[in-house]
Amino acid sequence: MAHHADEAARPRRFSAASALRGAIRVPGDKSISHRALMLSALCVGESRISGLLEGEDVLATAAAMRAMGATIKRGDDGVWTVHGVGVGGLMQPEQALDMGNSGTSTRLLMGLVASHPITAMFTGDASLSRRPMARVTDPLGEMGAEFGASPGGTLPLMVRGLQPAVPITYRLPVASAQVKSAILLAALNTPGTTTVIEPIPTRDHSERMLAGFGAPLTVETDPDGVRHISITGPCDLRAQDIIVPGDPSSAAFFIVAALIVPGSDLVIENVGMNVTRSGIVTVLEQMGGQIERLNERTVGGEPVADLRVRASALKGIAVDPAIVPSMVDEFPVFFIAAAMAQGTTVTSGLDELRVKESDRLATMARGLEAIGVVVEEREDGLVITGSGGAMLPGGGPVATLLDHRIAMSFAVAGLVSTSGVEVDDTRPIATSFPDFLALLDQVRGAGL
């Protein structure tokens, strides 16, 4: 995986851009790519996946599924074929599963292993090894899996699965699609009905895709809006052909860039518009951003559109905490939009950002201060006083703490800075968006 200590950091200064123009495609959705590989590997027969995100995180999932018996190949045409082992057919991996920087791979794969009679060792890079795993090991432990974790409940972590596992009903104490998904994946090979109760809706890619693969899944919403998601196992999955929509989290960097760089008019094609993920678009529109949805369609059960984004005068807002789960990964770049808006933007309910690849609230606050933005850090959010459209002073180097989204966010900030913004290391960007720097250069070139 990347980020080996012996590799030199790759700093880069991002300087002011004239209008961003043209049409681009962002990589495939990371959440859907992980799930497509995992579920295909649990089918009997051949699945084909087009548009898979080929970043390091997703490749870690592919390597883990291979290690547990699936045959996974990438064709010269970019289409991936997966021959699965069937639910219940996962094999004992011979080596530790290296998750790199991928929290999604780790938590979801722990769910898969939990209901198979195998033992797997999960390792990861320094950043991933600081992230909390108890939120997943607690419910999976109730199902009968055993865990040997490092002190503090982190990686490296050993999972010993149980077959047959025990079905549970589990109410999510924290809004987490990863915890929900881990339990549902464990349920596939567990006799009886397992139910996840979700008080606050989170991204629903797992439910959509499980249903698409033929899992016996039901979703009921009670009068209070609480979702009860159930799977009755053990069950068989049917091989599928999957087209992965463009990742809205990756699109967000270019949406914000086109909104804040004067004169921009940019089309971002094939963006996933799942309502549990598109909060960033809603909030930017509330600020006055011009984002037009073109060619709206449904692909593989997921809504997709092309987005035309034009430079806009943004106004500060108070972001409704209820929308946080649908844009939790987009706050770093949203803070850049807020820095360019007129007036003050207030965010709250962002405690979850403190346990991402870095403490994203603290890291963003320090970086914003370093480039001349007026920001106040609170326990659960940031308060940002915008420039009213005036260029940001710039500066740096900004410490990204090996966090891909923070690196890309400050690259966007550099486009509207007087002296440029220096990012201390661009290597982590490859975890989610390998083509980011090339695409940025392309749309800047089109605007010259």
Side-chain angles (χ1 to χ4, degrees):
M1 306 306 291
H3 328 322
H4 293 302
D6 54 0
E7 284 182 34
R10 280 206 279 276
R12 178 166 161 178
R13 180 170 286 275
F14 295 88
S15 53
S18 55
L20 308 181
R21 300 276 165 113
I24 58 167
R25 284 193 164 230
V26 296
D29 185 280
K30 193 160 79 149
S31 299
I32 296 173
S33 294
H34 282 302
R35 289 159 173 82
L37 285 169
M38 290 180 199
L39 293 181
S40 299
L42 290 176
C43 296
V44 175
E46 179 180 280
S47 294
R48 293 166 54 83
I49 309 170
S50 319
L52 189 82
L53 169 64
E54 297 178 5
E56 291 162 6
D57 283 12
V58 173
L59 298 181
T61 290
M65 299 318 297
R66 280 193 195 104
M68 292 189 280
T71 304
I72 302 177
K73 295 197 174 93
R74 182 191 189 277
D76 294 337
D77 55 0
V79 176
W80 290 67
T81 55
V82 181
H83 284 270
V85 294
V87 171
L90 290 180
M91 288 155 52
Q92 171 88 31
E94 290 174 13
Q95 279 105 23
L97 302 175
D98 181 357
M99 298 289 100
N101 187 240
S102 180
T104 305
S105 305
T106 309
R107 295 188 179 121
L108 270 58
L109 289 168
M110 282 163 53
L112 281 185
V113 170
S115 59
H116 284 75
I118 61 176
T119 299
M121 183 73 167
F122 288 87
T123 61
D125 70 7
S127 158
L128 181 62
S129 299
R130 285 192 296 270
R131 299 179 67 178
M133 294 296 154
R135 54 177 61 183
V136 185
T137 58
D138 289 350
L140 296 177
E142 288 181 31
M143 298 179 77
E146 292 177 20
F147 299 92
S150 301
T154 56
L155 302 188
L157 188 149
M158 179 80 82
V159 183
R160 183 177 290 109
L162 177 68
Q163 186 178 18
V166 182
I168 62 170
T169 296
Y170 189 78
R171 187 182 184 94
L172 291 176
V174 55
S176 170
Q178 292 178 357
V179 178
K180 167 176 67 174
S181 301
I183 298 166
L184 294 176
L185 290 171
L188 291 172
N189 198 43
T190 300
T193 300
T194 295
T195 302
V196 177
I197 301 171
E198 186 177 56
I200 301 169
T202 63
R203 53 185 67 175
D204 64 354
H205 303 300
S206 292
E207 295 95 302
R208 287 173 187 252
M209 195 176 286
L210 281 162
F213 274 91
L217 177 131
T218 60
V219 182
E220 291 169 5
T221 306
D222 69 20
D224 299 326
V226 176
R227 299 171 77 231
H228 296 246
I229 307 146
S230 300
I231 284 185
T232 303
C235 57
D236 291 323
L237 301 180
R238 290 188 299 273
Q240 301 293 311
D241 286 353
I242 298 166
I243 299 170
V244 179
D247 195 321
S249 298
S250 296
F253 298 101
F254 284 95
I255 295 172
V256 169
L259 288 174
I260 63 178
V261 175
S264 297
D265 187 345
L266 186 65
V267 174
I268 309 164
E269 299 171 345
N270 190 45
V271 180
M273 294 302 292
N274 183 313
V275 69
T276 65
R277 295 287 301 288
S278 58
I280 182 72
V281 173
T282 307
V283 169
L284 290 169
E285 287 176 330
Q286 288 169 0
M287 296 175 78
Q290 302 177 67
I291 305 171
E292 199 180 342
R293 295 168 176 76
L294 310 172
N295 190 15
E296 296 187 89
R297 55 209 186 268
T298 301
V299 179
E302 294 275 354
V304 173
D306 302 335
L307 301 180
R308 181 183 182 191
V309 186
R310 280 170 274 200
S312 306
L314 302 178
K315 289 191 167 45
I317 59 167
V319 178
D320 180 351
I323 206 165
V324 167
S326 69
M327 59 179 287
V328 68
D329 284 331
E330 287 68 68
F331 276 99
V333 76
F334 171 74
F335 293 144
I336 305 301
M340 290 295 291
Q342 180 185 346
T344 304
T345 296
V346 181
T347 59
S348 57
L350 302 186
D351 322 61
E352 181 70 10
L353 266 61
R354 294 202 183 273
V355 295
K356 289 288 185 177
E357 280 82 339
S358 65
D359 175 341
R360 284 189 175 151
L361 286 182
T363 312
M364 285 301 301
R366 295 301 81 76
L368 289 165
E369 284 167 353
I371 63 169
V373 177
V374 179
V375 57
E376 177 199 341
E377 181 183 347
R378 295 181 179 171
E379 188 54 40
D380 68 338
L382 301 185
V383 178
I384 295 173
T385 304
S387 72
M391 298 277 276
L392 304 176
V398 170
T400 57
L401 304 189
L402 293 181
D403 189 318
H404 54 123
R405 299 202 194 278
I406 291 192
M408 288 185 277
S409 298
F410 283 103
V412 170
L415 305 178
V416 288
S417 65
T418 310
S419 63
V421 169
E422 183 170 338
V423 170
D424 66 354
D425 196 355
T426 56
R427 286 174 306 157
I429 292 172
T431 64
S432 70
F433 200 160
D435 299 334
F436 173 78
L437 296 171
L439 275 180
L440 191 60
D441 290 338
Q442 176 189 320
V443 297
R444 291 183 61 150
L448 295 177

